[in-house]
Amino acid sequence: MSVSPARLAALEVVGRVRTRGAYAHETLDAVLRERSLSEADSALATRLGYGVVQCLGTLDEALSRYVRRPDTTDPEVMDVLRMAAYELLFARTPQRAVVHQAVEAARIVSPRSAGFANAVLRRLAEDARDFPWGNPDQDDAALARAFAHPEWLVRLLVSEHGRQTTLEMLRANSSPAPLYLAHNP
């Protein structure tokens, strides 16, 4: 089985954002125009591309538990791992599918990294059940991880607004924006 077109498109978006400092929405639009994806694949590529960019700090924190030297790991392989981590931790995609697709993607970007990606992602998949690795009701770091926000910001919000209001704010901030249509005659 090969890597899904949606995942390859999302991986390209993440890579372009990382290497060029490009805006995610412009990059995604360009990648989707370049590829002939089905509606479902375009939707998945959008979710994965935006999700990885939005949750980058949390994904890197999670991966640092399993990758000894992330700064020396091939950046394209790290992009594959980030995308898989997003699917495991936030999208709740079935683990076998995520690991298989990510190993195949790692094999494409760096053939010798497939075993490494497999080992890292199997360990992450085991621990994903316990994500955010703490009790968000009591632990600011776990609350920050659960909603992919910086811990310093969560601490500040909790101190100024209390835990319940902060939880509502983080939940609202992490939810997709509603779709509005305007008729302009």
Short mmCIF file of all heavy atoms in Angstrom, two decimals, residues 115-164:
data_model
loop_
_atom_site.label_atom_id
_atom_site.label_comp_id
_atom_site.label_asym_id
_atom_site.label_seq_id
_atom_site.Cartn_x
_atom_site.Cartn_y
_atom_site.Cartn_z
N GLY A 115 12.71 2.24 9.45
CA GLY A 115 12.76 1.53 10.73
C GLY A 115 12.73 2.47 11.91
O GLY A 115 12.07 2.20 12.93
N PHE A 116 13.44 3.57 11.79
CA PHE A 116 13.45 4.60 12.84
C PHE A 116 12.03 5.13 13.05
O PHE A 116 11.54 5.21 14.19
CB PHE A 116 14.41 5.72 12.44
CG PHE A 116 14.31 6.96 13.28
CD1 PHE A 116 14.79 6.97 14.57
CD2 PHE A 116 13.75 8.12 12.76
CE1 PHE A 116 14.71 8.12 15.35
CE2 PHE A 116 13.67 9.26 13.52
CZ PHE A 116 14.15 9.27 14.82
N ALA A 117 11.35 5.50 11.96
CA ALA A 117 9.98 6.02 12.06
C ALA A 117 9.05 4.99 12.68
O ALA A 117 8.22 5.32 13.53
CB ALA A 117 9.48 6.44 10.68
N ASN A 118 9.20 3.74 12.29
CA ASN A 118 8.38 2.68 12.84
C ASN A 118 8.56 2.56 14.35
O ASN A 118 7.59 2.49 15.11
CB ASN A 118 8.71 1.35 12.14
CG ASN A 118 7.78 0.24 12.53
OD1 ASN A 118 6.58 0.43 12.64
ND2 ASN A 118 8.34 -0.93 12.76
N ALA A 119 9.81 2.56 14.80
CA ALA A 119 10.09 2.43 16.23
C ALA A 119 9.52 3.60 17.02
O ALA A 119 8.87 3.42 18.06
CB ALA A 119 11.59 2.30 16.46
N VAL A 120 9.76 4.82 16.54
CA VAL A 120 9.28 6.01 17.24
C VAL A 120 7.76 6.02 17.31
O VAL A 120 7.16 6.24 18.38
CB VAL A 120 9.79 7.29 16.54
CG1 VAL A 120 9.08 8.53 17.06
CG2 VAL A 120 11.30 7.44 16.72
N LEU A 121 7.12 5.74 16.20
CA LEU A 121 5.65 5.85 16.15
C LEU A 121 4.95 4.72 16.89
O LEU A 121 3.87 4.93 17.44
CB LEU A 121 5.19 5.95 14.71
CG LEU A 121 5.63 7.25 14.03
CD1 LEU A 121 5.27 7.25 12.57
CD2 LEU A 121 5.04 8.47 14.75
N ARG A 122 5.54 3.56 16.94
CA ARG A 122 4.92 2.48 17.73
C ARG A 122 4.94 2.84 19.22
O ARG A 122 3.97 2.59 19.93
CB ARG A 122 5.62 1.15 17.47
CG ARG A 122 5.29 0.61 16.09
CD ARG A 122 5.57 -0.86 15.96
NE ARG A 122 5.28 -1.31 14.62
CZ ARG A 122 4.07 -1.59 14.15
NH1 ARG A 122 3.02 -1.45 14.93
NH2 ARG A 122 3.90 -2.01 12.93
N ARG A 123 6.04 3.42 19.67
CA ARG A 123 6.10 3.84 21.08
C ARG A 123 5.13 4.98 21.35
O ARG A 123 4.44 5.00 22.38
CB ARG A 123 7.54 4.22 21.44
CG ARG A 123 8.43 2.98 21.50
CD ARG A 123 9.89 3.23 21.71
NE ARG A 123 10.19 4.20 22.72
CZ ARG A 123 11.26 5.01 22.68
NH1 ARG A 123 12.12 4.91 21.69
NH2 ARG A 123 11.48 5.87 23.64
N LEU A 124 5.07 5.95 20.43
CA LEU A 124 4.12 7.05 20.61
C LEU A 124 2.69 6.53 20.58
O LEU A 124 1.85 6.96 21.37
CB LEU A 124 4.32 8.11 19.52
CG LEU A 124 3.32 9.27 19.53
CD1 LEU A 124 3.37 10.03 20.85
CD2 LEU A 124 3.59 10.20 18.37
N ALA A 125 2.40 5.60 19.69
CA ALA A 125 1.04 5.04 19.59
C ALA A 125 0.62 4.38 20.90
O ALA A 125 -0.53 4.49 21.32
CB ALA A 125 0.96 4.05 18.43
N GLU A 126 1.55 3.68 21.54
CA GLU A 126 1.25 3.06 22.84
C GLU A 126 0.88 4.11 23.87
O GLU A 126 -0.05 3.93 24.66
CB GLU A 126 2.45 2.28 23.35
CG GLU A 126 2.64 0.93 22.71
CD GLU A 126 3.86 0.22 23.29
OE1 GLU A 126 4.27 0.55 24.43
OE2 GLU A 126 4.39 -0.66 22.60
N ASP A 127 1.64 5.21 23.90
CA ASP A 127 1.42 6.25 24.90
C ASP A 127 0.31 7.22 24.53
O ASP A 127 -0.12 8.02 25.37
CB ASP A 127 2.72 7.03 25.12
CG ASP A 127 3.79 6.18 25.76
OD1 ASP A 127 3.47 5.09 26.30
OD2 ASP A 127 4.97 6.59 25.73
N ALA A 128 -0.16 7.19 23.28
CA ALA A 128 -1.19 8.14 22.84
C ALA A 128 -2.49 7.97 23.62
O ALA A 128 -3.24 8.93 23.78
CB ALA A 128 -1.44 7.97 21.34
N ARG A 129 -2.74 6.77 24.12
CA ARG A 129 -3.97 6.53 24.89
C ARG A 129 -4.02 7.41 26.14
O ARG A 129 -5.09 7.76 26.62
CB ARG A 129 -4.05 5.07 25.30
CG ARG A 129 -4.28 4.15 24.15
CD ARG A 129 -4.28 2.69 24.59
NE ARG A 129 -3.56 1.96 23.56
CZ ARG A 129 -2.53 1.16 23.78
NH1 ARG A 129 -2.11 0.94 25.00
NH2 ARG A 129 -1.93 0.56 22.79
N ASP A 130 -2.85 7.73 26.69
CA ASP A 130 -2.78 8.52 27.92
C ASP A 130 -2.58 10.02 27.67
O ASP A 130 -2.40 10.79 28.62
CB ASP A 130 -1.64 8.00 28.81
CG ASP A 130 -1.84 6.56 29.21
OD1 ASP A 130 -3.00 6.16 29.40
OD2 ASP A 130 -0.83 5.83 29.32
N PHE A 131 -2.56 10.42 26.40
CA PHE A 131 -2.39 11.84 26.08
C PHE A 131 -3.53 12.64 26.67
O PHE A 131 -4.66 12.20 26.61
CB PHE A 131 -2.34 12.02 24.55
CG PHE A 131 -2.08 13.42 24.11
CD1 PHE A 131 -0.80 13.93 24.15
CD2 PHE A 131 -3.11 14.23 23.66
CE1 PHE A 131 -0.55 15.23 23.74
CE2 PHE A 131 -2.87 15.53 23.26
CZ PHE A 131 -1.59 16.03 23.30
N PRO A 132 -3.29 13.74 27.32
CA PRO A 132 -2.13 14.64 27.33
C PRO A 132 -1.12 14.40 28.45
O PRO A 132 -0.43 15.32 28.86
CB PRO A 132 -2.76 16.01 27.45
CG PRO A 132 -3.97 15.79 28.31
CD PRO A 132 -4.46 14.41 27.92
N TRP A 133 -1.01 13.17 28.90
CA TRP A 133 0.01 12.77 29.87
C TRP A 133 -0.04 13.61 31.14
O TRP A 133 0.92 14.22 31.57
CB TRP A 133 1.41 12.82 29.25
CG TRP A 133 1.48 11.99 28.02
CD1 TRP A 133 1.12 10.67 27.91
CD2 TRP A 133 1.92 12.39 26.72
NE1 TRP A 133 1.31 10.25 26.61
CE2 TRP A 133 1.80 11.28 25.87
CE3 TRP A 133 2.39 13.59 26.21
CZ2 TRP A 133 2.13 11.33 24.54
CZ3 TRP A 133 2.72 13.64 24.87
CH2 TRP A 133 2.59 12.51 24.05
N GLY A 134 -1.20 13.59 31.74
CA GLY A 134 -1.44 14.31 32.98
C GLY A 134 -2.92 14.63 33.06
O GLY A 134 -3.68 14.35 32.14
N ASN A 135 -3.32 15.21 34.16
CA ASN A 135 -4.73 15.55 34.37
C ASN A 135 -4.94 17.03 34.04
O ASN A 135 -4.51 17.89 34.81
CB ASN A 135 -5.12 15.26 35.82
CG ASN A 135 -6.58 15.53 36.08
OD1 ASN A 135 -7.29 16.08 35.23
ND2 ASN A 135 -7.04 15.15 37.25
N PRO A 136 -5.59 17.35 32.91
CA PRO A 136 -5.81 18.75 32.54
C PRO A 136 -6.63 19.53 33.57
O PRO A 136 -6.57 20.76 33.59
CB PRO A 136 -6.56 18.67 31.21
CG PRO A 136 -6.31 17.31 30.70
CD PRO A 136 -6.10 16.43 31.89
N ASP A 137 -7.35 18.81 34.44
CA ASP A 137 -8.13 19.51 35.46
C ASP A 137 -7.25 20.07 36.57
O ASP A 137 -7.68 20.95 37.32
CB ASP A 137 -9.17 18.56 36.07
CG ASP A 137 -10.22 18.14 35.06
OD1 ASP A 137 -10.48 18.92 34.12
OD2 ASP A 137 -10.77 17.04 35.20
N GLN A 138 -6.03 19.56 36.68
CA GLN A 138 -5.14 20.01 37.74
C GLN A 138 -3.77 20.45 37.25
O GLN A 138 -3.08 21.20 37.92
CB GLN A 138 -4.95 18.88 38.76
CG GLN A 138 -6.24 18.43 39.39
CD GLN A 138 -6.08 17.15 40.18
OE1 GLN A 138 -5.07 16.47 40.09
NE2 GLN A 138 -7.10 16.81 40.95
N ASP A 139 -3.35 19.97 36.10
CA ASP A 139 -1.99 20.18 35.61
C ASP A 139 -2.02 21.13 34.41
O ASP A 139 -2.58 20.81 33.36
CB ASP A 139 -1.41 18.81 35.21
CG ASP A 139 -0.01 18.88 34.67
OD1 ASP A 139 0.62 19.96 34.72
OD2 ASP A 139 0.48 17.83 34.18
N ASP A 140 -1.38 22.31 34.56
CA ASP A 140 -1.35 23.29 33.48
C ASP A 140 -0.63 22.76 32.25
O ASP A 140 -1.04 23.05 31.12
CB ASP A 140 -0.68 24.59 33.94
CG ASP A 140 -1.50 25.34 34.97
OD1 ASP A 140 -2.71 25.06 35.10
OD2 ASP A 140 -0.93 26.22 35.64
N ALA A 141 0.43 22.00 32.44
CA ALA A 141 1.18 21.46 31.30
C ALA A 141 0.30 20.49 30.50
O ALA A 141 0.30 20.51 29.26
CB ALA A 141 2.44 20.76 31.77
N ALA A 142 -0.46 19.65 31.18
CA ALA A 142 -1.36 18.72 30.50
C ALA A 142 -2.48 19.47 29.78
O ALA A 142 -2.85 19.12 28.66
CB ALA A 142 -1.95 17.72 31.49
N LEU A 143 -2.98 20.53 30.40
CA LEU A 143 -4.01 21.34 29.75
C LEU A 143 -3.45 22.01 28.49
O LEU A 143 -4.11 22.03 27.45
CB LEU A 143 -4.54 22.40 30.73
CG LEU A 143 -5.67 23.30 30.24
CD1 LEU A 143 -6.89 22.49 29.84
CD2 LEU A 143 -6.02 24.32 31.31
N ALA A 144 -2.24 22.50 28.58
CA ALA A 144 -1.60 23.12 27.41
C ALA A 144 -1.41 22.09 26.30
O ALA A 144 -1.70 22.38 25.13
CB ALA A 144 -0.25 23.72 27.82
N ARG A 145 -0.95 20.89 26.64
CA ARG A 145 -0.77 19.84 25.62
C ARG A 145 -2.10 19.43 25.00
O ARG A 145 -2.18 19.21 23.80
CB ARG A 145 -0.09 18.62 26.24
CG ARG A 145 1.40 18.73 26.37
CD ARG A 145 2.03 17.40 26.75
NE ARG A 145 1.63 16.94 28.06
CZ ARG A 145 2.22 17.30 29.21
NH1 ARG A 145 3.25 18.12 29.20
NH2 ARG A 145 1.80 16.81 30.35
N ALA A 146 -3.13 19.32 25.82
CA ALA A 146 -4.43 18.86 25.32
C ALA A 146 -4.98 19.76 24.22
O ALA A 146 -5.64 19.29 23.30
CB ALA A 146 -5.42 18.78 26.47
N PHE A 147 -4.68 21.05 24.31
CA PHE A 147 -5.20 22.00 23.32
C PHE A 147 -4.10 22.63 22.47
O PHE A 147 -4.35 23.58 21.74
CB PHE A 147 -6.02 23.09 24.02
CG PHE A 147 -7.31 22.55 24.58
CD1 PHE A 147 -7.40 22.20 25.91
CD2 PHE A 147 -8.42 22.37 23.76
CE1 PHE A 147 -8.58 21.68 26.42
CE2 PHE A 147 -9.59 21.86 24.27
CZ PHE A 147 -9.68 21.52 25.61
N ALA A 148 -2.88 22.09 22.57
CA ALA A 148 -1.74 22.54 21.75
C ALA A 148 -1.51 24.04 21.86
O ALA A 148 -1.38 24.74 20.86
CB ALA A 148 -1.93 22.11 20.30
N HIS A 149 -1.47 24.52 23.09
CA HIS A 149 -1.16 25.92 23.35
C HIS A 149 0.12 25.99 24.18
O HIS A 149 0.44 25.04 24.91
CB HIS A 149 -2.30 26.59 24.12
CG HIS A 149 -3.45 26.96 23.25
ND1 HIS A 149 -4.27 26.03 22.65
CD2 HIS A 149 -3.92 28.17 22.86
CE1 HIS A 149 -5.20 26.66 21.94
NE2 HIS A 149 -5.00 27.95 22.06
N PRO A 150 0.83 27.09 24.13
CA PRO A 150 2.03 27.22 24.95
C PRO A 150 1.69 27.16 26.44
O PRO A 150 0.69 27.73 26.88
CB PRO A 150 2.59 28.60 24.59
CG PRO A 150 1.91 29.00 23.33
CD PRO A 150 0.61 28.27 23.27
N GLU A 151 2.54 26.47 27.18
CA GLU A 151 2.28 26.30 28.61
C GLU A 151 2.27 27.65 29.34
O GLU A 151 1.46 27.87 30.23
CB GLU A 151 3.33 25.37 29.22
CG GLU A 151 3.02 25.00 30.65
CD GLU A 151 4.01 24.00 31.20
OE1 GLU A 151 4.72 23.33 30.42
OE2 GLU A 151 4.07 23.88 32.44
N TRP A 152 3.16 28.56 28.95
CA TRP A 152 3.22 29.86 29.63
C TRP A 152 1.89 30.61 29.46
O TRP A 152 1.42 31.27 30.37
CB TRP A 152 4.38 30.72 29.11
CG TRP A 152 4.23 31.17 27.68
CD1 TRP A 152 4.74 30.57 26.57
CD2 TRP A 152 3.51 32.32 27.22
NE1 TRP A 152 4.38 31.26 25.43
CE2 TRP A 152 3.64 32.34 25.80
CE3 TRP A 152 2.79 33.32 27.85
CZ2 TRP A 152 3.05 33.33 25.01
CZ3 TRP A 152 2.20 34.31 27.06
CH2 TRP A 152 2.35 34.31 25.65
N LEU A 153 1.27 30.46 28.29
CA LEU A 153 -0.01 31.13 28.05
C LEU A 153 -1.11 30.51 28.89
O LEU A 153 -1.93 31.22 29.49
CB LEU A 153 -0.36 31.06 26.56
CG LEU A 153 -1.69 31.69 26.16
CD1 LEU A 153 -1.72 33.18 26.50
CD2 LEU A 153 -1.94 31.47 24.67
N VAL A 154 -1.12 29.20 28.98
CA VAL A 154 -2.13 28.51 29.78
C VAL A 154 -1.98 28.90 31.25
O VAL A 154 -2.98 29.19 31.92
CB VAL A 154 -2.05 26.99 29.58
CG1 VAL A 154 -2.92 26.25 30.58
CG2 VAL A 154 -2.45 26.63 28.15
N ARG A 155 -0.75 28.95 31.75
CA ARG A 155 -0.54 29.37 33.15
C ARG A 155 -1.07 30.78 33.39
O ARG A 155 -1.71 31.06 34.40
CB ARG A 155 0.94 29.29 33.50
CG ARG A 155 1.48 27.91 33.65
CD ARG A 155 2.94 27.95 34.15
NE ARG A 155 3.63 26.71 33.96
CZ ARG A 155 3.45 25.63 34.69
NH1 ARG A 155 2.58 25.63 35.67
NH2 ARG A 155 4.13 24.54 34.44
N LEU A 156 -0.77 31.68 32.45
CA LEU A 156 -1.24 33.06 32.57
C LEU A 156 -2.77 33.12 32.56
O LEU A 156 -3.38 33.79 33.39
CB LEU A 156 -0.67 33.91 31.42
CG LEU A 156 -1.12 35.37 31.38
CD1 LEU A 156 -0.58 36.12 32.60
CD2 LEU A 156 -0.65 36.02 30.09
N LEU A 157 -3.39 32.40 31.63
CA LEU A 157 -4.85 32.41 31.54
C LEU A 157 -5.49 31.82 32.80
O LEU A 157 -6.49 32.35 33.30
CB LEU A 157 -5.31 31.65 30.30
CG LEU A 157 -5.00 32.31 28.96
CD1 LEU A 157 -5.34 31.36 27.81
CD2 LEU A 157 -5.75 33.62 28.81
N VAL A 158 -4.94 30.74 33.30
CA VAL A 158 -5.48 30.12 34.51
C VAL A 158 -5.35 31.09 35.69
O VAL A 158 -6.30 31.24 36.48
CB VAL A 158 -4.78 28.78 34.82
CG1 VAL A 158 -5.11 28.29 36.22
CG2 VAL A 158 -5.17 27.73 33.78
N SER A 159 -4.22 31.77 35.80
CA SER A 159 -4.03 32.70 36.93
C SER A 159 -4.97 33.90 36.84
O SER A 159 -5.40 34.43 37.85
CB SER A 159 -2.58 33.15 37.03
OG SER A 159 -2.26 34.02 35.97
N GLU A 160 -5.28 34.33 35.62
CA GLU A 160 -6.12 35.51 35.46
C GLU A 160 -7.61 35.20 35.36
O GLU A 160 -8.43 36.03 35.75
CB GLU A 160 -5.69 36.29 34.21
CG GLU A 160 -4.34 36.97 34.39
CD GLU A 160 -3.98 37.86 33.21
OE1 GLU A 160 -4.81 38.03 32.29
OE2 GLU A 160 -2.86 38.38 33.22
N HIS A 161 -7.96 34.03 34.83
CA HIS A 161 -9.38 33.75 34.56
C HIS A 161 -9.91 32.49 35.24
O HIS A 161 -11.10 32.22 35.16
CB HIS A 161 -9.60 33.62 33.05
CG HIS A 161 -9.20 34.83 32.29
ND1 HIS A 161 -9.92 35.99 32.28
CD2 HIS A 161 -8.12 35.06 31.51
CE1 HIS A 161 -9.32 36.89 31.52
NE2 HIS A 161 -8.22 36.35 31.04
N GLY A 162 -9.05 31.71 35.85
CA GLY A 162 -9.48 30.47 36.46
C GLY A 162 -9.46 29.32 35.46
O GLY A 162 -9.44 29.51 34.25
N ARG A 163 -9.46 28.11 35.99
CA ARG A 163 -9.30 26.92 35.15
C ARG A 163 -10.50 26.69 34.22
O ARG A 163 -10.33 26.37 33.05
CB ARG A 163 -9.07 25.69 36.02
CG ARG A 163 -8.76 24.44 35.20
CD ARG A 163 -8.09 23.37 36.01
NE ARG A 163 -6.79 23.74 36.54
CZ ARG A 163 -5.66 23.74 35.82
NH1 ARG A 163 -5.67 23.40 34.57
NH2 ARG A 163 -4.53 24.07 36.38
N GLN A 164 -11.71 26.86 34.71
CA GLN A 164 -12.90 26.58 33.89
C GLN A 164 -13.00 27.54 32.72
O GLN A 164 -13.24 27.13 31.58
CB GLN A 164 -14.17 26.63 34.74
CG GLN A 164 -15.42 26.22 33.98
CD GLN A 164 -15.33 24.81 33.40
OE1 GLN A 164 -14.79 23.89 34.02
NE2 GLN A 164 -15.86 24.64 32.21
#
